Structures are given as C-alpha cells and as structure tokens.
Amino acid sequence: MQAQICFYTNLFSRYAFTASNSRHICWTGYKYWYCNTILVSLYTCGLRMVGSCSSYSMENLLADCLQGCFVVTCTLCAFISLVWLREQIVHGGAPIWLEHAAPPFNAAGHHQNEAPAGGNGAENVAADQPANPPAENAVVGENPDAQDDQAEEEEEDNEEEDDAGVEDVADANNGAQDDMNWNALEWDRAAEELTWERMLGLDGSLVFLEHVFWVVSLNTLFILVFAFCPYHIGHFSLVGLGFEEHVQASHFEGLITTIVGYILLAITLIICHGLATLVKFHRSRRLLGVCYIVVKVSLLVVVEIGVFPLICGWWLDICSLEMFDATLKDRELSFQSAPGTTMFLHWLVGMVYVFYFASFILLLREVLRPGVLWFLRNLNDPDFNPVQEMIHLPIYRHLRRFILSVIVFGSIVLLMLWLPIRIIKSVLPHFLPYNVMLYSDAPVSELSLELLLLQVVLPALLEQGHTRQWLKGLVRAWTVTAGYLLDLHSYLLGDQEENENSANQQVNNNQHARNNNAIPVVGEGLHAAHQAILQQGGPVGFQPYRRPLNFPLRIFLLIVFMCITLLIASLICLTLPVFAGRWLMSFWTGTAKIHELYTAACGLYVCWLTIRAVTVMVAWMPQGRRVIFQKVKEWSLMIMKTLIVAVLLAGVVPLLLGLLFELVIVAPLRVPLDQTPLFYPWQDWALGVLHAKIIAAITLMGPQWWLKTVIEQVYANGIRNIDLHYIVRRLAAPVISVLLLSLCVPYVIASGVVPLLGVTAEMQNLVHRRIYPFLLMVVVLMAILSFQVRQFKRLYEHIKNDKYLVGQRLVNYERKSGKQGSSPAPPQSSQE
C-alpha cells in the first residue's frame, strides 16, 4: 500500500530536471516540437493521401494535423523520459545484477559491515519493530524480505564474479567510466547552435531540410519501435492463445494489445539477458538489461498511475450503487455507450480517492509517534525515490505491494462506504437513494454541478487552514482517548522524557554510524555509494515506547476501535450535510426534488460556518464583553464588504462570462440557424465560475500585467484586510466593463446597424447568430498577427546583429546644459 500512497506525490515533484544538461534537453525538445509539429502533421496527411485519396477533405486534414501533434508530443515525452531515466540510473545506481563497476564481493562486504551499525539505537524497541529500518517511517515490515533479496542477489553476484573473472571486471569498469565521462557541455553546445532562424531556414542554409528529414525519420522510428512492434507482438500472441475475441469485447483492443506486447517484450529481454550472461556477452548483457529496466519502469508506471486508480474508482462505484439506486446493468450500459468517458471518470474518481487518502496519512504522521506507521512510506523522507525502487526491486515485490494495496484500499471502501449505506438503508429507509437524476426543466446540468463541487466547494473548504487544524485536533483527541483507554499512550504519542533521551542517543548513534560507514570511492560503483547513503544513520526519527501487558490484544482492540470510529464518521458525513441541506432547501423549493449536489454543498457550508462561529465565540469569551462587541462590529463590517465583493466577483462577473461563452461557443455549435437558443442564467453562472477560475489561474501563471498585479494584491490583502474601494475601482469595474462591451457591442451592431442596411431577414438572423464567434475570431487573429509581427521583428534584429554587428561600446550620457549624469546610456552599436 505504501507504493500507491507515496507514488502520486513524489514521482515528478522531487526528482525533476535540475541539471543544466536536462534544462537544455527540454529547451531543445521544445524547439523541435514547436517548429516541426506542422511538418509531422503534413507528413501524416501525406500518408493518408497516399493510402486513400478519396478520404482527403478538410475534416481529415484537421484530424491528421491533431494526430501529428499528438505523435510529436509523445515522441518528445518519450525522449525526455528516457533521458530522465538514464539520469536516475547513472546517479542513483543501476541494479546489482546490472552494475559492473565494482566486484560484487566488495559491495556485499560493504553492506554486511553496515548492518550492525543500524541496530545500536534500537535494542530496546518492541518485538514487532525491526532492528534496522532503512529510513524514517519506512516500510519496516518489509525490511527482512529486502535483506533476504539483497543476500540472494549478493550470492548471485558472487557466482557471476567467479565465472566472469578479470575480463568482466575490466569491461565493467570501462562501462562505468563511460557513464561517468558523459559531458553535459555537448548538450549546451547543441542547444546554443540550434537557433530559430536555422530551424526555420531563414539563415540561407540547408540545415532546415536536414532537420525536417531527422524529425520525420525519428518519428517514424518512434512509431515503429514503441508502437508498431509491441502491438503486433501482442496481437500475434493473443491470436495464438485464442484471446482475440475477449480483447475486442473490451473496447480497448489497441491499448490492451500493446500492453501485452510490452509484457512479452520484457519477458523476452530478461531471457535474452540470462542467455547473454551464460555466454559472457558483457556488452549485450548490459544493453539488454537497460532495455529491460526501461520496459519494466514503463509498465510499473502504467500500473501505478493507470490501473490502480481505475480499480479503486470501479470499486467505489460498485460499493455505492445502492446510494444512487443504480445496478450493475446500468453501469454496463453506460460503458457500452461511452467506454472512454466511463473509464476516464472512474480513473479520475480513483485518483481523487488515493490523493485524499495520502493527505490523511500525512496528517496522521503529524500526530502519531514516529514509528507507529512503520508499514507506510513517509512522503517527507528525503531518501525515498519511487523510481529507484522501480529500478532496483524485483517484480514480485511490486506485485506483492500492488495486491496488498488493492486489499487495503478495497477494505477501507467497504468499511466507510458500503457498510454505512447498508446501515442507513436499514435505519432510515426513506433517506436513500440520493437524487442525482435531472429533469427537463432542471436549471443546471449535472456536469456543471459536479465541476462546481470539485473545483470550488471542496478546494474552498480544504484550503482553509483552520479546517485542517480541526481535523488534526479531532485525530489528536481520538488518539489520546484511545491511548488512555487501552494503555497505549506511550505507543501512540510517546513520552516526553523518552523522546529527549532518544534524541540525544540518536545524535550519538548517527555520529557513530557516520564514522563507521565510509562512502565508497568511484571505483566501487554508484550503487554501492547510493546504498551507503541510504543506510547510514540507523533508525532515523524512531522513538522508543513502553510496551504494556497483552500488547497484541491491545493492538487488536485499537484496530477494532479505529474501524468503529471510521464507520461512525462515515455515517455522519453521509447523512448530516445532506439532511441539513434538504431541510434548508425545503424553505425555498418546498417538496420539489433537488439535486443532492445542491443539498450536500449547502449542508456542508452550513456545518462549516456553524463550527467556525462556535470556535470563534469560544476564543473570544475570555476577552470580555467589550472586546466581543468590538470584534462583532469589525466582523460585521468585513462581512458586508465581503458580500459586496462576492456579488460583483462571484456573481456578476461569472454570469457575464458564462453568458458570453454561451453566445460565442455553445449556441453556434449546438443550435441551428432556424431555431431559437434558450439560455439558463443559473447554468451560465455555474459554468462562468469555472471559467473565471481557469482564467484567474492562467493570468497568475502568465507574464506581469495590470490584471495579474491587481489579483495578486487582492490575494495578498486577504479577507481581513479587504479594500473594497481598490477592488471595485481596479478589478470589478474594468472586468465588468469589458464583458458588458463584449456582450453589447455585437448586439447593437446586429440589431441596430444591420437592419438599417436593408438586408433580408435571413441575413439579419445569420448576422445576429454568428457575430459573436466572428468577432472572437477577429480578435484572436489580430492578437496572433501582432505576436508574429513582434517575433519577426526580434528575429530580424537578431539576424541583422549576427551578420553586421561588430561591437558595442558604453558611453556616458551628457546633458546639453553641461551637467554630466552618472546614468549610463543604452548601448550604441557600430555597424559596418
């Protein structure tokens, strides 16, 4: 289970491209992608024209261009991934069965010397704690297996050393030296020589055609090696085994066939690697081993990111069928009608579930004693690297972790979803199912409500610091209560005196370990150095505890108490917000059925506001009545300002933005010219909220301009220091004015100016319906032209300076009045 919890957060966040060569590789790849996407798109169009000239049309041209862009993007991503994986192998160390830089008996002896050093500070630990955990809060339960695996690998390496002899060691040292001599300056020089004018063919050379040839050749090679060969290997294998009909019934024939091909390719590579080992083909052995690592890591990434969240999403859906009054037959019909959308939604739900579970584990680590969650990886552990584990650990270890993760996550879903639903149906038979079916007169679509809930409601609650503090306080209170009831306070939270003694003892143990564990030199291999860094220091962060009598029985009672608590918490979360939301909505809508997203969001906000008000009043009570009245006055004024800002920025702006999007995009695409479009203001507002959030995020990530400056200033001020005059004058008024002009000017032209020209009614209707997308196209075209003009001016100046610029000289600026200023003038260039 620890692999899934840690993988999604640490895979690309901690081990990103930091070296200068990696930055140049990414920049070079971006240049190739930007300049050659059109070329590969036209190449794909040419293949279609050669294959079927009758299918050539503008629709096929657009599809081929998009397909070509996708192929180039996949090629670039695969190239960067391979370079990054090579960085991981070079700097982190290859597996022991592949590493030839050091004799295996040296590495084995080094690890054996390290083993006793970790057990000095853990002799008084309970029996269930191993003597040498690899890192802070690491997978202590699997450490004996890891030691057994390491011992087996060391024995195999010793046998190979006896068979290989001196020639093997020499070839290994040469291979390691080649890895160490990889020079990043070559990448720097290649990135500097690859300029825009050379790639576009504006420098007068024929290098442009060479780039076209290489891009087309590399993309063809990429499709042949990474798509064509694995697909046909899997296809021939499935046909031979008789599974072709089952694969075709899954609606994902290409994907499943390709994955099967990669699996068979990995098996073939490992068999060929064993044969190359027997016949002592050392270079072929290393090449086959590296190819196997690439295929292995790729398949494990697919399993971790794709398969596991998909399993969690489907299991969540199956366990919650009774909550929505659905059956498996309904889900089967939904999958048959839209297989891609169904799988994506289930994958998304599974990813959200895994992410929030990992967030809860992080919160538990802040409360519990270090060492309690020894069976889970620590996300904050600097030594944890999921890619290194994929490279070094064998397949059966990953398979065992995957099965354990599926069992644990599935059991939690049963405990917190399926069982509470059964209890609610038996105790409150009329409470379920939740109403998620929409009628024809529904003001808001289900998709807009789900997006609003996921993008606005949940982030607004989870981003509040006090909400997390409340949850942390509840976890701490539960832990203290369970600790005193079961006499496990020392085990769960630790003792202060023992913590201080443990900290002092840990410092001494770490110092002793650093003195004993010397990092190996370059000749001993990168893997040995990596293992030495990981294993030095002993049990970092572990705190001893007092073990009471009947300890296993108390742990069992603690697990039972935890399951009962989770069940009760799930019952409260499934019933209280919905019940409060239904009760409040009944005053507005009466007995009409309301979508449960309305009721759940309303009830959740009401519960949150109630708890927040109670906590604030409790905090103010000791300060006296006068302070309370002063605080109430300040908060009342702040709430009034916040309501005004919310009406403008969360009401008017999203409504205008959603209506503009409806007129520009939705209505021209969905409503024919002979029909009248209908607008739902509530739905436009819901979609406008999402659009406003996306625009604000893009603005904050973009360059510096007035809107970004204003938004950053408003965000920096916060709610407590809200400046109503600044927000209205600098943000609300300009944005609302632009949106109103965008809505009113086309309408005035279509309804007021066009009829004066004496055109027909059909032309008036055409202009009225198509003026909004036409003006959008004009604005976008003007922006693109302006951008291209600026880019070509810069390119012209750059080419002119490269050809004719001789030198630059800095001179002082002198005023005509005779006073000399100290400020330097802009550089003046002398030209031939």
Side-chain angles (χ1 to χ4, degrees):
M1 182 178 61
Q2 66 278 0
Q4 276 73 24
I5 295 176
C6 304
F7 184 83
Y8 303 100
T9 308
N10 283 307
L11 182 59
F12 298 112
S13 60
R14 183 174 299 171
Y15 297 95
F17 287 97
T18 55
S20 61
N21 55 346
S22 301
R23 289 195 297 268
H24 283 286
I25 292 171
C26 295
W27 172 238
T28 306
Y30 169 73
K31 286 184 177 181
Y32 271 114
W33 181 88
Y34 182 82
C35 294
N36 296 314
T37 297
I38 303 299
L39 299 175
V40 179
S41 303
L42 297 177
Y43 167 70
T44 310
C45 297
L47 291 179
R48 179 180 290 272
M49 292 177 63
V50 172
S52 177
C53 296
S54 61
S55 63
Y56 177 72
S57 63
M58 292 302 298
E59 297 179 358
N60 293 329
L61 179 63
L62 179 61
D64 292 337
C65 290
L66 294 177
Q67 186 178 1
C69 295
F70 178 75
V71 169
V72 175
T73 305
C74 292
T75 307
L76 179 62
C77 293
F79 174 72
I80 295 177
S81 300
L82 290 175
V83 173
W84 181 58
L85 183 60
R86 186 184 185 279
E87 293 277 339
Q88 294 292 321
I89 296 175
V90 170
H91 295 288
I96 299 179
W97 53 270
L98 184 66
E99 185 68 35
H100 292 271
F105 61 87
N106 290 341
H110 182 74
H111 293 323
Q112 292 174 359
N113 293 332
E114 283 184 342
N120 296 332
E123 296 176 354
N124 57 347
V125 182
D128 64 331
Q129 295 284 351
N132 186 20
E136 180 183 358
N137 295 336
V139 190
V140 183
E142 293 186 357
N143 196 34
D145 297 336
Q147 293 178 355
D148 295 338
D149 299 336
Q150 182 178 352
E152 295 175 359
E153 293 173 352
E154 290 169 358
E155 292 176 0
E156 295 175 0
D157 288 342
N158 290 331
E159 295 176 358
E160 293 173 0
E161 176 66 23
D162 295 337
D163 296 336
V166 180
E167 182 181 359
D168 191 3
V169 175
D171 293 338
N173 291 329
N174 292 333
Q177 195 67 26
D178 292 338
D179 290 337
M180 297 293 291
N181 292 334
W182 186 56
N183 190 8
L185 295 177
E186 298 178 358
W187 293 95
D188 298 346
R189 189 178 302 110
E192 292 176 358
E193 294 177 356
L194 193 63
T195 58
W196 288 108
E197 58 270 13
R198 178 167 298 180
M199 295 187 64
L200 295 175
L202 300 178
D203 59 345
S205 64
L206 297 178
V207 181
F208 173 70
L209 298 178
E210 181 183 353
H211 290 161
V212 173
F213 171 76
W214 277 110
V215 168
V216 175
S217 302
L218 290 177
N219 280 277
T220 306
L221 183 63
F222 168 79
I223 296 173
L224 182 65
V225 173
F226 292 98
F228 181 83
C229 293
Y231 174 80
H232 282 78
I233 292 173
H235 177 70
F236 294 147
S237 303
L238 292 175
V239 171
L241 296 175
F243 294 127
E244 185 179 7
E245 296 180 357
H246 300 284
V247 174
Q248 290 179 355
S250 64
H251 298 279
F252 295 96
E253 179 185 2
L255 179 61
I256 295 177
T257 305
T258 306
I259 292 177
V260 172
Y262 272 106
I263 294 174
L264 295 176
L265 185 62
I267 296 174
T268 305
L269 287 173
I270 198 63
I271 293 175
C272 295
H273 178 269
L275 295 177
T277 303
L278 293 177
V279 298
K280 298 181 180 180
F281 288 167
H282 304 296
R283 295 186 181 273
S284 301
R285 174 192 177 188
R286 183 175 181 83
L287 178 61
L288 292 171
V290 172
C291 294
Y292 168 73
I293 291 175
V294 172
V295 177
K296 171 188 172 183
V297 172
S298 302
L299 290 175
L300 289 176
V301 169
V302 171
V303 171
E304 298 285 352
I305 296 181
V307 177
F308 182 75
L310 190 62
I311 294 175
C312 293
W314 275 107
W315 185 239
L316 283 167
D317 190 11
I318 293 173
C319 293
S320 62
L321 288 176
E322 295 183 355
M323 187 168 62
F324 303 107
D325 195 17
T327 59
L328 289 176
K329 187 65 176 178
D330 299 333
R331 295 295 181 260
E332 183 180 357
L333 293 176
S334 176
F335 176 77
Q336 294 293 337
S337 60
T341 303
T342 303
M343 298 296 283
F344 173 74
L345 290 178
H346 285 84
W347 175 83
L348 182 63
V349 171
M351 284 292 292
V352 172
Y353 168 58
V354 173
F355 173 76
Y356 283 116
F357 187 87
S359 301
F360 184 72
I361 295 299
L362 284 177
L363 189 141
L364 287 180
R365 291 190 182 277
E366 298 179 4
V367 177
L368 299 178
R369 175 186 61 86
V372 175
L373 301 177
W374 54 270
F375 51 90
L376 298 178
R377 279 289 192 184
N378 187 8
L379 296 179
N380 297 323
D381 185 6
D383 294 330
F384 174 67
N385 186 350
V387 179
Q388 289 294 331
E389 288 191 349
M390 291 181 181
I391 294 174
H392 292 91
L393 295 183
I395 288 294
Y396 74 90
R397 293 283 301 276
H398 292 286
L399 183 61
R400 185 179 65 183
R401 288 183 178 184
F402 179 78
I403 296 174
L404 179 62
S405 302
V406 171
I407 293 174
V408 172
F409 278 80
S411 303
I412 292 175
V413 172
L414 285 175
L415 179 65
M416 299 189 65
L417 190 61
W418 182 81
L419 188 58
I421 291 173
R422 302 295 298 178
I423 295 175
I424 292 173
K425 287 182 71 68
S426 61
V427 177
L428 301 173
H430 300 290
F431 185 80
L432 293 178
Y434 289 161
N435 180 33
V436 294
M437 301 299 294
L438 295 176
Y439 303 97
S440 58
D441 57 348
V444 186
S445 66
E446 181 180 356
L447 180 60
S448 62
L449 279 175
E450 291 178 353
L451 291 176
L452 193 64
L453 179 66
L454 292 175
Q455 297 292 330
V456 179
V457 177
L458 288 180
L461 292 177
L462 296 176
E463 289 176 1
Q464 301 294 329
H466 43 263
T467 305
R468 190 175 186 277
Q469 294 299 323
W470 294 344
L471 184 59
K472 185 177 179 180
L474 290 176
V475 172
R476 182 178 295 277
W478 183 91
T479 306
V480 172
T481 304
Y484 280 111
L485 289 178
L486 301 174
D487 195 17
L488 293 175
H489 185 272
S490 176
Y491 175 75
L492 295 176
L493 298 175
D495 297 328
Q496 186 66 27
E497 295 81 4
E498 293 180 354
N499 291 342
E500 295 176 356
N501 296 331
S502 175
N504 297 330
Q505 185 178 4
Q506 185 62 42
V507 173
N508 298 329
N509 290 337
N510 291 341
Q511 186 66 31
H512 179 70
R514 292 189 184 95
N515 295 332
N516 292 337
N517 299 331
I519 299 178
V521 295
V522 177
E524 294 180 348
L526 293 172
H527 178 70
H530 179 70
Q531 292 296 328
I533 294 174
L534 288 181
Q535 295 183 3
Q536 66 179 357
V540 179
F542 176 79
Q543 294 182 4
Y545 60 92
R546 178 181 58 83
R547 182 168 181 171
L549 298 176
N550 300 322
F551 184 71
L553 178 61
R554 296 175 187 273
I555 293 296
F556 176 76
L557 294 177
L558 177 67
I559 295 175
V560 173
F561 186 40
M562 179 187 65
C563 294
I564 296 174
T565 306
L566 292 177
L567 179 61
I568 296 174
S570 179
L571 287 171
I572 295 175
C573 293
L574 290 175
T575 55
L576 182 60
V578 177
F579 180 79
R582 289 177 179 177
W583 179 70
L584 291 174
M585 285 291 182
S586 63
F587 294 102
W588 181 18
T589 59
T591 59
K593 290 185 177 181
I594 303 298
H595 199 287
E596 297 299 343
L597 286 175
Y598 281 113
T599 58
C602 180
L604 200 61
Y605 269 116
V606 168
C607 295
W608 175 75
L609 290 175
T610 303
I611 298 174
R612 178 62 176 164
V614 170
T615 55
V616 169
M617 293 302 296
V618 170
W620 287 351
M621 288 297 292
Q623 300 181 7
R625 184 179 303 176
R626 180 177 299 176
V627 177
I628 293 177
F629 284 128
Q630 183 67 25
K631 292 288 186 180
V632 169
K633 181 180 178 181
E634 294 177 359
W635 276 74
S636 301
L637 182 60
M638 184 185 67
I639 290 174
M640 291 179 61
K641 293 182 179 179
T642 305
L643 288 177
I644 296 174
V645 173
V647 169
L648 293 175
L649 299 182
V652 178
V653 172
L655 179 61
L656 297 177
L657 189 60
L659 183 60
L660 182 62
F661 182 80
E662 183 85 12
L663 291 170
V664 173
I665 304 296
V666 179
L669 295 177
R670 296 181 59 182
V671 182
L673 292 175
D674 57 349
Q675 296 181 5
T676 303
L678 299 178
F679 301 101
Y680 298 98
W682 188 256
Q683 182 176 356
D684 294 338
W685 173 82
L687 294 177
V689 170
L690 301 178
H691 298 153
K693 184 176 180 180
I694 294 173
I695 292 174
I698 295 175
T699 303
L700 292 177
M701 291 187 299
Q704 194 72 28
W705 59 305
W706 70 269
L707 184 59
K708 181 180 179 180
T709 304
V710 173
I711 294 177
E712 289 177 347
Q713 183 64 36
V714 172
Y715 183 79
N717 292 336
I719 298 179
R720 294 181 180 272
N721 299 321
I722 187 171
D723 190 352
L724 182 60
H725 181 265
Y726 179 82
I727 294 176
V728 172
R729 183 174 58 89
R730 299 293 301 275
L731 183 60
V735 173
I736 293 176
S737 301
V738 171
L739 292 176
L740 287 176
L741 288 175
S742 302
L743 290 171
C744 297
V745 171
Y747 181 79
V748 171
I749 295 174
S751 301
V753 178
V754 174
L756 298 179
L757 302 178
V759 298
T760 60
E762 290 78 6
M763 182 58 67
Q764 293 182 15
N765 184 32
L766 179 63
V767 173
H768 190 273
R769 295 289 301 278
R770 295 293 185 261
I771 188 171
Y772 287 98
F774 175 75
L775 291 180
L776 176 63
M777 292 177 60
V778 170
V779 172
V780 172
L781 182 61
M782 295 298 295
I784 293 176
L785 290 177
S786 177
F787 175 76
Q788 294 297 332
V789 167
R790 290 197 302 268
Q791 291 297 110
F792 273 100
K793 285 184 178 179
R794 293 178 56 187
L795 181 61
Y796 170 76
E797 292 293 333
H798 183 67
I799 295 175
K800 183 181 69 174
N801 292 334
D802 287 344
K803 294 294 183 181
Y804 303 108
L805 183 62
V806 176
Q808 294 180 345
R809 184 176 59 184
L810 183 66
V811 297
N812 294 329
Y813 173 73
E814 298 181 358
R815 296 184 179 180
K816 295 182 179 180
S817 59
K819 298 180 180 179
Q820 296 182 354
S822 61
S823 60
Q828 295 182 357
S829 60
S830 58
Q831 301 178 355
E832 292 182 347

